[in-house]
């Protein structure tokens, strides 16, 4: 209280002294005086002004008082004390130093010396503080005597104040704080020892040390900023000029010159503390600084490392030293206060882990310690993973494990980043890492990559430098310098793999051409680096910022495709763990995302060599139906060799992590998920792509599992079919796909068991055992499948049939002999090449040859094995087939179920399954399965493909196309030849049918479909396919158009075969090409591709009437009566009319329906009537001359008028030649004109009812004549055929001109017997050649004119041109004709003699087999059509390709003709022609015959100048 009052008075004193009013001052004085009893005068003297004190009367004079106080202060603060300077004697200090500096090794103790020091102080009056200072100085110089000096100082301190020692040390440190001063390490050590022994407090000493904490923090911040600037410089693209570069260099020099800061005494002390093992105080100092600031100074880091070395020594010696390594033991610190050495992992955690955390990334300074820590970690993991410890221990171990992970994250990985390319450390670290589960490893890599590098300025710099270096290497990486670049990448990757790979992957995502060189350059990586690479790949794939689709939202992004491709290549080439990647794909699928299946697809393809592609050739597909060896050799595009190791790795990864079945099931479920969940907002095209990708990957992955998992593994993992479908909701096709290998394994193992049990070698025994084993294995499956469908389904097809269909594969149905042969031949060629190779060293030759031989033997063995297997399977099916189709409802319903549940789901499952389905249908037919209507089945498949095509994805369309292609192949084979048809379909239950002709109300008699009617049905199917295709192309829908184009491309070998259908398609496709060029380029590309292929097939297409025999329309129909040859039967008229309608339908774009229905029908009548003639009428028309004459008279009048008209039109010979040569290219206008002419002529020609009577007469005559001429026809044919094959195109052209002459003469034709169609079947080999030639001939030359015509063409060139145009020139005189013909004959004889010998055998065969001629009908019907209208009846039907007829026959014919008629020759030939038509047409000829003949001539001439040839040949014959 008095003190407070005194303060108040002091303030009032100052205030009142400033005021002018004296009374206030007086009041104040009185107040103070009144309070004197409260406040003592001494207090007031301290605080109040001397003048005030004087006025109060407390002092006498203020002036005196002031002087006195000044004196006292001077004495107190400024006057030097004389402090026994005179009494202290120097000798005392000398003695003190001698005392302390003596040899201390004897029995001298600190107590003894202390007594002496006390005596010296007393004797020589020494200053105790100065003595302490000298003691410290001596201690500094003799650091090895800790044990002496520490107790001495401790004892001495009892005589001093506690602060004295700290002040003396502080004073010493201050002495060295000059900018140029450097604190000696001895001082740090003394301070450290005193701190350790608690003789001074750290807090007391810390304040005496420089620099201040604030300065340290600022310096740390500055370092971080500098590091970031360096990064910015490195990452910026600097396009600076030279001047700025020079400036920068100058700046850098200036920075170097700046004085280095004074040394950091705190760090010096810290280092000394660490060296003596005072961890407690060291920790306190480090805690006052920013993290890792202290250890970023190398001496401190090394000191701390040394301390750790000492601490871990005993434990390391016990568990860490590798076998065979000696190691150099480290002695413990002499200091008892140092941390306790670790003897167990628990002590390691308590002591060492803490030190390591303070060390952080700077463990990089001591690689040996790094290795020790890692080895201890490895030893701990070994112990951790071994079972058998108690629960308490387990908890401790868990704690230890988490600590170890922290140390790895905070110390080991950052330290590795700062190490300079140390591959050994990387491998050492992998030794520990591989004991961690991949989840932990990837977590560590993630932290390392994304967080660690930002934690410390040094690491920030290192990251920038690594990226900079990576850019440098990647810019220069090419295929040529893979090795050197690879080494650089390797060096860089040992320390900073995450940063390097992140950059490399970013480059790969942009430039996919880097994939190959990068993969090759990664061969210098360590195991740890490969693991980090796997993590980086997964991280790149999972990057949420990246779009997985391109901007158009219809295709998968190229970065994802590149990464997937890189994945496949890198995982195959290097031993990288796959578990993480596979789990990532599985997780994505669980989340309903199927984009990443692309990765799985690539990995399986590259690692296992299993390819999934829709572009497989038929050869590859065929090879895929063989054994494993054949698949590997011939089934894939890339010959992927040496996949054994990589596929084993993939298998192990899948089995170890139980991912095999989950991936399959997830993919199977995801297929529908793609559409209904994933595909919601996505573009339809993308949804299709994803669905295909999901499906293809499932097929590929399932194939991998089937071929790589052992039977036990597979069976253990795949549940039964009902569980798959009902519990896991796997679609049926996928479920059977997964189960199929299991059934095969089961059956083969059961079969082997039975074989061992009874050793019977007979084939029957084997088959019986096989069938038994099949029954045993498949019986539960038959039971299981019942639950998959409604009970109603099993009324029509049996579960056994269903299971059999789904459980078999192409391997079970057929042996691809040609594939085996092809691969064996390749190997033989290879061996021959090895033999011929002179450069190859002999030992390599031998090795290669051995390899090839071994492979060859394997293939042959495999083929034999498959052959036996297929025979057993077919035997089994034979026994089963009667129970297959129950048909409790109708056959139709049975077929529906079969297609719906079996064929359609499976034919779009994979390319091989597509082929399998077609084969299976054929097999069921061949087995004569009850209740199976092959006809219905094929009809349902071909009839309306619009819906199936429209609902397919792109790849499914391709597979569906393959299926249709195989189905069409079978149908085409049956269609091509009566013999084949009769053999394979003739009396098979699949071809039972009920046919009703429109003319009858016939009953329900079950009947076999005969060959001709089958051909009509095939035409109907072709028409249906065309109709569906045209519909799809005209919808404008993307999916419809794309899919139908894919399907059409696939079925191109067998469809279109009919010219008008082909043309209709061509027009639609051309339209698509024009419309889509700008809009949808992918459709345009597809359409262009198909269009080109279609054009190349055009020469092989045939007119409709050659594809099947067409009857006249119903109004002209007369019931068929005669069937003289195999093809002679008239087809039911209902079918005929159908075909007429078909043609109208397909050509409706060009002509209106009404016009066409008249014109086309007439034309068809002609062609239909013409074809049966082949066998029924024989060309010896001489005997029919009377009837012919009558007809001719009637025709003459009409024809002569025409001739006169045409006579007037002149013609240029060269033009005619040109036209003759290029019949195909005849301008469209010309054709159109001729069509019109043909129509006019048809209208003009009179129609008489008398024709019918003539038809009957002609028929009789032709029958009589037939028998006479058959033999001669055959002979002439064979020579003619061969001759024509030789003929060059020049002669054909001339032949065309000759034909034109004949036409010009009004169709007066001499029958030539030799050109009649040969009814003998040809050998298969020559068949194909002939077919091609014949097709060419169809469009170019007359199908039947004889060589005599050709040989003498030159003489008649000029006239031919005129005749062609004028059309009515008078006939040549008979004598001239004979001369010409004789010359022809001479030439033809010379040619034919050479061939006659060879031909004899053929002729005999043909005589024998003439009834089989029908198989050639379709190919040659074009020729016949032309000949009917342009040449004699006999030449018309010549089916033979023989260009030269027997010369002798020609002469006989001529003679006969001459004797019979002279003036009416013209008429005769025409009548003969008509006779033949009527008889061959089975009396269906109507009164329109004459006009039709003329129309036919005209029509043919428009269709490619074939008419010319007819004219020429007929002219010649005359």
């Amino acid at each position: 209280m008095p003190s407070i009052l005194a303060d108040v008075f002091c303030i009032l004193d100052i205030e009142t002294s400033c005021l002018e009013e004296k009374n206030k001052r007086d009041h104040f004085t009185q107040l103070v005086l009144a309070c004197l009893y409260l406040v003592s005068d001494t207090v007031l003297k301290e605080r109040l002004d001397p003048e005030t004190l004087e006025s109060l009367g407390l002092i006498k004079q203020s002036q005196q008082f002031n002087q006195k106080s000044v004196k006292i202060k001077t004495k107190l603060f400024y006057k030097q004390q004389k402090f026994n300077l005179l009494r202290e004697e120097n000798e005392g200090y000398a003695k003190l130093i001698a005392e302390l500096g003596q040899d201390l090794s004897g029995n001298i103790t600190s107590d003894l010396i202390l007594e002496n020091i006390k005596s010296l102080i007393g004797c020589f009056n020494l200053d105790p503080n100065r003595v302490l200072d000298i003691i410290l100085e001596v201690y500094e110089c003799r650091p090895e005597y800790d044990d002496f000096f520490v107790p001495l100082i401790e004892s001495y301190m009892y005589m001093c104040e506690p602060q004295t020692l700290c002040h003396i040390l502080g004073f010493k440190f201050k002495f060295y704080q000059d900018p140029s001063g450097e604190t000696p390490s001895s001082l740090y050590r003394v301070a450290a020892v005193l701190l350790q022994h608690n003789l001074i407090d750290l807090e007391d000493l810390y304040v005496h040390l420089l620099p201040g904490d604030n300065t340290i923090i600022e310096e740390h911040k500055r370092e971080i900023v500098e590091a970031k600037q360096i990064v910015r410089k490195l990452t910026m693209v600097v396009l600076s000029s030279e001047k700025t570069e020079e400036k920068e260099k100058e700046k850098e020099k200036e920075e170097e010159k700046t004085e280095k800061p004074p040394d950091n005494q705190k760090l010096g002390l810290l280092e000394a503390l660490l060296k003596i093992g005072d961890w407690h105080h060291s920790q306190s100092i480090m805690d006052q600084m920013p993290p890792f600031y202290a250890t970023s100074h190398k001496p401190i880091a090394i000191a701390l490392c040394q301390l750790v070395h000492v601490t871990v020594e005993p434990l390391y010696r016990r568990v860490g030293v590798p076998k065979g390594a000696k190691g150099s033991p480290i002695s413990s610190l002499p200091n008892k206060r140092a941390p306790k050495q670790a003897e167990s992992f628990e002590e390691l955690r308590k002591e060492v882990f803490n030190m390591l955390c303070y060390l952080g990334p700077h463990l990089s300074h001591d690689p040996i310690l790094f290795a020790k820590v890692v080895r201890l970690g490895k030893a701990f993991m070994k112990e951790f993973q071994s079972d058998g410890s108690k629960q308490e221990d387990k908890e401790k171990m868990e704690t230890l494990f988490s600590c170890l992970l922290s140390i790895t994250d905070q110390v080991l990985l950052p330290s590795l980043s700062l190490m300079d390319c140390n591959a050994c450390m990387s491998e050492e670290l992998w030794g520990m890492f591989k004991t961690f589960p991949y989840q932990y490893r990837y977590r560590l890599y993630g932290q390392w990559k994304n967080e660690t590098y930002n934690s410390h300025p040094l690491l920030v710099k290192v990251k920038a430098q690594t990226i900079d270096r990576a850019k440098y290497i990647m810019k220069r990486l090419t295929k040529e310098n893979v090795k050197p670049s690879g080494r650089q990448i390797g060096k860089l990757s040992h320390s900073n793999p995450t940063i390097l790979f992140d950059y490399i992957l970013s480059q790969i995502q942009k430039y996919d051409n880097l994939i190959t060189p990068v993969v090759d350059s990664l061969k210098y990586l360590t195991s740890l680096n490969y693991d980090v690479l796997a993590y980086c790949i997964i991280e790149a794939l999972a990057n949420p910022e990246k779009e997985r689709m391109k901007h158009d939202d219809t295709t998968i992004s190229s970065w994802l495709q590149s990464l997937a491709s890189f994945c496949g290549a890198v995982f195959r080439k290097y031993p990288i763990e796959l578990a993480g990647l596979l789990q990532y794909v599985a997780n994505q699928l669980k989340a309903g995302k199927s984009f990443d299946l692309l990765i799985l697809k690539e990995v399986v393809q590259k690692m296992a060599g299993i390819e999934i592609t829709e572009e497989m050739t038929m050869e590859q597909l065929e090879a895929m139906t063989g054994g494993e060896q054949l698949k590997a050799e011939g089934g894939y595009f890339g010959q992927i060799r040496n996949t054994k190791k990589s596929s084993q790795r993939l298998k192990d990864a899948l089995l170890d992590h139980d991912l095999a079945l989950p991936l399959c099931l997830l993919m199977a479920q995801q297929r529908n998920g793609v559409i209904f969940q994933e595909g919601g907002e996505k573009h339809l095209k993308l949804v299709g792509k994803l669905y295909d990708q999901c499906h293809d990957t499932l097929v590929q992955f399932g194939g991998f599992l089937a071929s790589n998992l052992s039977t036990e593994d597979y069976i253990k993992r795949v549940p039964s079919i009902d569980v798959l479908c009902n519990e896991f909701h796997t679609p049926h096709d996928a479920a059977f796909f997964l189960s199929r290998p299991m059934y095969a394994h089961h059956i083969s193992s059961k079969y082997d068991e039975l074989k061992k049990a009874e050793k019977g070698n007979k084939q029957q025994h084997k088959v019986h055992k096989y069938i038994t084993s099949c029954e045993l294995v498949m019986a539960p499956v038959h039971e299981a499948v019942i639950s998959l469908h409604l009970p109603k389904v099993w009324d029509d097809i049996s579960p056994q049939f269903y299971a059999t269909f789904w459980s078999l594969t192409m391997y079970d149905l057929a042996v691809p002999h040609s594939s085996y042969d092809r691969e064996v031949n390749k190997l033989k060629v290879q061996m021959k090449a090895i033999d011929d190779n002179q450069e190859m060293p002999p030992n390599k030759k031998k090795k290669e040859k051995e390899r090839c031989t071994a492979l060859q033997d394997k293939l042959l063995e495999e083929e034999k094995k498959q052959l036996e297997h297929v025979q057993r399977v077919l035997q089994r099916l034979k026994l089963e087939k009667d129970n297959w189709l129950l048909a409790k409802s109708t056959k139709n319903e049975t077929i529906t179920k079969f297609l719906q549940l079996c064929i359609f789901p499976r034919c779009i499952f994979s390319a091989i399954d597509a082929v399998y389905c077609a084969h299976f249908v054929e097999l069921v037919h061949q087995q004569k399965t009850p209740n199976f209507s092959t006809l219905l089945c094929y009809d349902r498949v071909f009839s309306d493909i619009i819906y199936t095509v429209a609902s397919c994805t792109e790849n499914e369309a391709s597979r569906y196309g393959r299926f249709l292609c195989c189905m069409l192949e079978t149908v085409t084979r049956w269609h091509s030849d009566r013999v084949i048809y009769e053999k394979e379909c003739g009396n098979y239950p699949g071809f039972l049918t009920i046919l009703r002709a429109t003319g009858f109300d016939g009953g329900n008699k079950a009947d076999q479909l005969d060959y001709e009617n089958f051909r009509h049905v095939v035409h109907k199917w072709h028409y249906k396919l065309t109709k569906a295709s045209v519909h799809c192309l005209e919808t404008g829908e993307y999916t419809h158009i794309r899919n139908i184009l894919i399907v059409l491309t696939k079925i191109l070998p067998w469809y279109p075969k009919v010219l008008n259908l082909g043309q209709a398609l061509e027009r639609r496709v051309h339209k698509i090409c024009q419309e889509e060029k700008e809009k949808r380029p992918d459709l345009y590309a597809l359409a262009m591709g198909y269009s080109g292929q279609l054009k190349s097939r055009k020469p092989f297409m045939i007119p409709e009437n050659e594809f099947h025999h067409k009857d006249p329309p119903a109004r002209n129909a007369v019931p068929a009566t005669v069937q003289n040859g195999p093809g002679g039967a008239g087809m039911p008229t209902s079918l005929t009319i159908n075909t007429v309608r078909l043609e109208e339908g397909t050509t409706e774009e060009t002509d209106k329906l009404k016009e066409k229905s008249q014109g086309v029908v007439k034309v068809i009548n002609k062609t239909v009537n013409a074809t049966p003639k082949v066998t029924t009428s024989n060309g010896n028309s001489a005997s029919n001359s009377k009837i012919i004459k009558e007809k001719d008279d009637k025709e003459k009048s009409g024809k002569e008028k025409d001739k006169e008209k045409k006579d007037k039109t002149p013609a240029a010979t060269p033009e005619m030649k040109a036209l003759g040569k290029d019949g195909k290219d005849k301008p469209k206008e010309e054709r159109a004109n001729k069509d019109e002419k043909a129509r006019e002529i048809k209208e003009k020609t009179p129609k008489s009812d008398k024709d019918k009577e003539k038809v009957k007469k002609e028929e009789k005559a032709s029958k009589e004549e037939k028998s006479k001429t058959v033999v001669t026809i055959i002979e002439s044919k064979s020579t003619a055929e061969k001759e024509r094959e030789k003929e060059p195109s020049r002669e054909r052209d001339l032949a065309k001109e000759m034909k034109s002459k004949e036409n010009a003469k009004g169709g007066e034709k001499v029958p030539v017997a030799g050109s009649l169609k040969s009814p003998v079947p040809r050998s298969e080999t020559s068949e194909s050649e002939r077919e091609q030639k014949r097709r060419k001939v169809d469009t170019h030359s007359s199908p039947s004119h004889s060589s005599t015509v050709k040989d003498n063409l030159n003489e008649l060139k000029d006239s031919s041109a005129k005749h062609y145009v004028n059309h009515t020139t008078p006939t040549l005189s008979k004598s001239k004709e004979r001369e010409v013909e004789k010359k022809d004959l001479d030439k033809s004889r010379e040619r034919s003699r050479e061939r006659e010998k060879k031909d004899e055998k053929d002729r005999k065969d043909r005589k024998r087999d003439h009834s089989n001629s029908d198989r050639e009908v379709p190919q040659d019907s074009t020729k016949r059509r032309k000949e009917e209208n342009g040449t004699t009846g006999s030449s018309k039907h010549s089916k033979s390709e023989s260009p030269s007829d027997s010369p002798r026959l020609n002469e006989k014919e001529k003679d006969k003709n001459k004797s019979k008629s002279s003036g009416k020759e013209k008429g005769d030939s025409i009548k003969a022609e008509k006779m033949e038509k009527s008889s061959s047409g089975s009396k269906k000829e109507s009164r329109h015959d004459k006009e039709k003949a003329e129309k036919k001539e005209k029509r043919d001439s428009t269709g490619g100048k074939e008419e010319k040839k007819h004219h020429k040949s007929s002219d010649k014959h005359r």
Side-chain angles (χ1 to χ4, degrees), residues 1027-1050:
K1027 195 174 172 190
S1029 305
V1030 168
H1031 173 84
C1032 288
L1033 290 171
E1034 286 180 341
T1035 54
E1037 284 283 331
Y1038 173 81
T1039 317
H1040 288 60
I1041 297 171
R1042 180 197 66 195
N1043 289 1
I1044 199 66
L1045 284 171
I1046 292 170
V1047 169
L1048 285 172
T1049 308
K1050 287 282 180 212

Side-chain angles (χ1 to χ4, degrees), residues 306-514:
Q306 198 53 40
L307 182 59
V308 177
H309 267 299
V310 173
T311 317
V312 302
E313 181 64 16
L315 182 62
Y316 176 70
R317 288 281 151 234
R318 183 165 67 81
V319 297
V321 183
K323 283 177 188 172
K326 289 179 184 174
S328 49
I330 293 173
S331 53
S332 60
L333 289 173
N335 189 339
K336 286 173 187 168
R337 291 171 183 261
K340 187 187 167 197
Q341 287 184 305
E343 300 283 348
S344 68
F345 286 116
E346 186 59 32
E347 287 172 9
L348 185 77
R349 179 179 73 81
K350 286 176 181 165
E351 301 293 338
V352 178
F353 281 4
N354 201 9
M355 295 181 194
L356 289 172
C357 288
Y358 279 97
L359 194 54
H362 305 288
L363 179 58
S364 57
H365 291 303
D366 193 344
I368 294 172
L369 180 61
F370 184 96
K372 281 185 179 178
V373 173
V374 171
R375 285 171 185 174
L376 286 170
K378 223 187 297 184
F380 166 73
M381 286 307 295
K382 203 173 177 183
E383 204 172 297
F384 178 64
Q385 286 167 344
S386 61
D387 300 329
S389 47
K390 295 173 190 170
Q391 187 59 38
E392 293 170 18
D393 293 345
K394 272 189 180 169
E395 284 171 15
K396 276 185 186 173
M397 293 295 251
E398 287 291 343
T399 315
L400 256 166
F401 179 57
S402 64
C403 290
L404 179 64
L405 290 174
S406 302
I407 290 297
T408 309
D409 176 31
Q410 293 167 30
V411 182
L412 297 178
L413 290 174
S415 301
L416 188 64
S417 295
L418 292 179
M419 279 186 192
D420 191 22
C421 172
N422 196 330
C424 307
M425 289 304 108
S426 180
E427 281 297 350
E428 196 71 61
L429 193 57
W430 175 245
M432 178 175 83
F433 265 42
K434 67 184 176 192
T435 58
F436 296 168
Y438 77 87
Q439 293 90 333
Y440 289 112
R441 294 202 309 268
Y442 287 2
R443 170 72 195 276
L444 289 169
Y445 301 149
Q447 298 274 98
W448 188 15
K449 176 174 176 292
N450 303 316
E451 292 173 27
T452 305
Y453 282 99
N454 306 324
S455 68
H456 193 283
L458 259 181
L459 286 165
V460 173
K461 283 183 201 169
V462 165
K463 178 178 179 178
Q465 287 159 359
T466 306
I467 292 174
D468 194 46
R469 183 74 186 140
K471 284 180 182 172
Y472 176 85
I473 297 168
M474 290 301 287
K475 272 180 200 164
R476 287 154 182 78
L477 177 63
T478 61
K479 281 182 186 173
E480 287 69 41
N481 65 2
V482 159
K483 257 196 174 177
S485 296
R487 289 196 177 99
Q488 290 174 312
I489 286 174
K491 276 186 177 178
L492 207 50
S493 72
H494 298 328
S495 311
N496 298 284
T498 52
I499 304 302
L500 172 68
F501 295 148
D502 198 43
Y503 180 72
I504 289 178
L505 289 173
S506 71
Q507 292 302 296
I508 283 172
Q509 289 170 50
K510 289 178 199 158
Y511 314 109
D512 57 359
N513 59 344
L514 271 175

